[in-house]
Amino acid sequence: MDPPPPPPQFSLIPPSQLPPPQQDSNPNIQPDSIPNWDQNPNLTHYLGLSVPKKRRRGRSQRNPALFRSPLTLNTSSNNANSNDLTSYAITSSSSVAAPVSFSPIKNPPPSYDFSDEIIMINKEAKTEAMIALSAGFPADSLSEEEIETGVIPVIGGIEQVNYTLIRNHIIAKWRDNVSIWVTKKMFTDYIPLHYHTLLDSAYNYLVTHGYINFGVASPIKDKTPTEPSKPGVIIIGAGLAGLAAARQLMRFGFKVTVLEGRKRAGGRVYTKKMEVGSRVGAAAELGGSVLTGTLGNPLGIVARQLGDVLHKVRDKCPLYSVDGKPVNPDMDMKVEFAFNRLLDKASKLRQSMGEVSVDVSLGAALETFRQVYKDAVNDEEMKLFNWHLANLEYANAGLLSHLSLAFWDQDDPYDMGGDHCFLPGGNGKLVQALAENVPILYEKTVHTIRYGSDGVQVIAGSQVFEGDMALCTVPLGVLKKGSIKFIPELPQRKLDGIKRLGFGLLNKVAMLFPHVFWEMDLDTFGHLSDEPSRRGEFFLFYSYATVAGGPLLIALVAGEAAHKFESMPPTDAVTKVLQILKGIYEPKGINVPEPIQTVCTRWGSDPFCFGSYSNVAVGASGDDYDILAESVGDGRLFFAGEATNRRYPATMHGAFLSGLREAANMAHHANNRSMNVKVEKAPSNAHTCASLLADLFREPDIEFGSFSIIFAQKNADPKSPAILRVTFGEPKKKYHEVAKQDQQQHSNKLLFQQLQSHFNQQQQLHVYTLLSRQQALDLREVRGGDEMRLNHLCEKLGVKLVGRKGLGLNADSLIASIKAERGNRKPVSTSMSLKPGLGVSKLKAGIMKRKIIRKAKVVKKSNGSIPRTSMNVGSASKVSEENRIIDQVLPDVLVPGNNQNDLSNSNP
């Protein structure tokens, strides 16, 4: 193995000595679209990356959007020079910077003050920040998980900046070579001794939570102790979540037993070896198949450790009409544009209408707007439009009539960048490697789980398995069916979440042919249906000839057709597929042979999953993923799987990451029990932060009309951030008139009647946004009342009003900083002063500008969590009703706009 490269040199300098910013040379950046700090304090720079769209799994967008990642150092610090650091660390060249000579302070005098020192890395800071971003971290601040873990004692300030730089550097170091075990010793020689506390914190956090040193490389496997030294753990399910957790827990020293109901590992990841006689003909992916985004994808890292090179799914995807003729390119472009426009309109609708969109389906909204704008008017256009709907149902494994208008794409801001790829030879290679040396007992169908303060009992058949803790990784479909009895019953909160979330269906027909008769430069091609109810029937074909080891085609069945397919005889299914293929290729003079072997999936009838993957159904939200992830029984029973991963649901890497997450949680609880430390159950993040924010707004720094503002008093820089709150009162009669007009314009009266009914009942709510201090002062000077101020805020500044959850991590750090600054200063009043304000109706849909929805959103959202030590005593129990309402009312999705001041300027 090649020796690791020498470490970059660190040096310590006061921020005032930082060199001036360099001009960015990244050619992907569009200068005219980069907002500056005056326009929005959340952004100082964007980086450009081409990213395919997750919601376009079957067909890539023709013109990939610019993946814009806001990279800003936390400016809520009281250090006056932090903006200088931001400029240097973020806006320097994208290539590796030339060495900068600074003299490190090796042996500082005892009285030396380190509070203003910034650790500088000779390597380009932006590069390492981007690597950290791809791993799921904010590039320049703490993640919610880090805040909860308490990686640093005080949020904000130079210590947070230095921790972040060290964390990013460790991640980048391991990503340079994922087949080694990164040790702490690699960094101790050149990180000054007085920063070893931060190094310890960052390194231990990253290792424990599975962000580095995970996978199947030999040096990593060698770290697993031969004999366990910690209590027994039972894992139910040997899918990717169960396997990831098992390997991690074994390395932590736990005795692990995995119970799997099937005869194989992998769960919904299943590579079927299709044979020709005694010879293996091809590896067919009957379950999870595509690695959706490879920048930071942990399964891509495992593939690298195995020495595999991923195959990019090529963008070219021709469509064929019902009769087999190619779809007219001009009509294709026209309908696709119309489809995008309707998604755009649906997004604006949910933004302006608030909570009621939770109870409205995406399908109802799309059909309403399609009829209003008279898109896809002739039969051929309608068939093409239905193909796009089928593709959307495939991406979500759910009927559009069942998907929540408000939250169907709540995970899009966290899309992993990079190409969508196939693993040559199939994903079964990943499963096989991850299952190696893991103690798995097959054909053990669990039907009862008992849990209590003394441990757990897991019953499979007549066998009882006992352990200190258990991890349940069964699919959401199994939980919905009630196949497993929990004693005691799961909390009602979790039962409700299981009921609300959707669990959809996708089926496949895999066909191995004697030779390839289709175009070898294609990985996908599509086929239109003449019936709306069958639009998802064999609507998309994947060619695996380049990666499967044989001439293999797989036809997808999505939406309503996927459910009907469950009862379709396999011979009928294959006959229909062959008719489609012959209709496409025989007019070209190409003979379509009979397949040598075929396989039809029935995931909906599979008793070990009862479906394919999760989605946000009508009435559900992203919160339900968090609820499913919550442990029960005082740290005895834990849950993992793609349906517990709010950021990456419905993906293989989401399942894998959830396993690593729960391994860390289980180790944490076990360690606390061994030290007789009781783990206090903290209030939910949403309530904690809502309570803290409510406390601060009891005494705002500026208040005018329905607007109130808080900011850090010690930072008088006009560009420093501030939090604006707008209080909306009861609806005005004017809204009823508007709603009546809208109802007359749209054919789907039920939808708009629901919207009108919602606002007839709405009382008061608060919405928020981040501004610069100067913007807040300018807003106060706007004349004409609240309506003109709102117009100035949305039209002139281009910012968006969001619920508490939409403020994100930067706001959490600012809130903590302001709270720390105010200290124990008592608020003027002990109750929230609510002033009647504008009616919610004045949040017009037209104000909320928005790009096409299928572009990749990257704005980080977070419920945010603040360390308990920074809260007023008892504040968590005094969460006001209006904060609870706003977190329910406003979708937990930040809807961006096309104004250059937008908080995100991007989409799915």
Side-chain angles (χ1 to χ4, degrees), residues 12 184 253 265 399 432 593 663 733 858 873:
L12 294 174
K184 195 183 305 181
L399 304 179
Q432 182 178 1
K733 292 183 178 180
V858 297
V873 176

Side-chain angles (χ1 to χ4, degrees), residues 27 60 95 133 146 169 254 326 369 382 516 532 660 730 834 860:
S60 298
S95 60
L133 188 69
E146 286 175 301
H169 180 63
F254 288 91
F369 286 117
M382 196 62 218
V516 175
L660 297 179
E730 298 184 1
L834 300 179
K860 298 286 183 180

Side-chain angles (χ1 to χ4, degrees), residues 122 128 164 201 362 399 597 654 825 833 885:
N122 240 358
E128 295 189 341
T164 304
S201 180
L362 175 64
L399 304 179
Q597 186 181 4
R825 188 177 71 185
S833 176
I885 293 175

Side-chain angles (χ1 to χ4, degrees), residues 89 100 151 341 436 441 444 475 581 649 689 745 759 877:
V100 180
V151 292
R341 181 170 69 160
E436 181 183 3
L441 301 180
K444 301 297 181 184
L581 294 173
C689 290
Q745 292 176 359
F759 284 107
S877 63

Side-chain angles (χ1 to χ4, degrees), residues 12 57 65 70 168 203 214 402 439 506 533 562 576 629 717:
L12 294 174
R57 293 190 186 188
N168 294 354
Y203 180 84
F214 67 82
H402 293 172
L506 176 74
S533 63
K576 287 188 175 185
D717 186 344

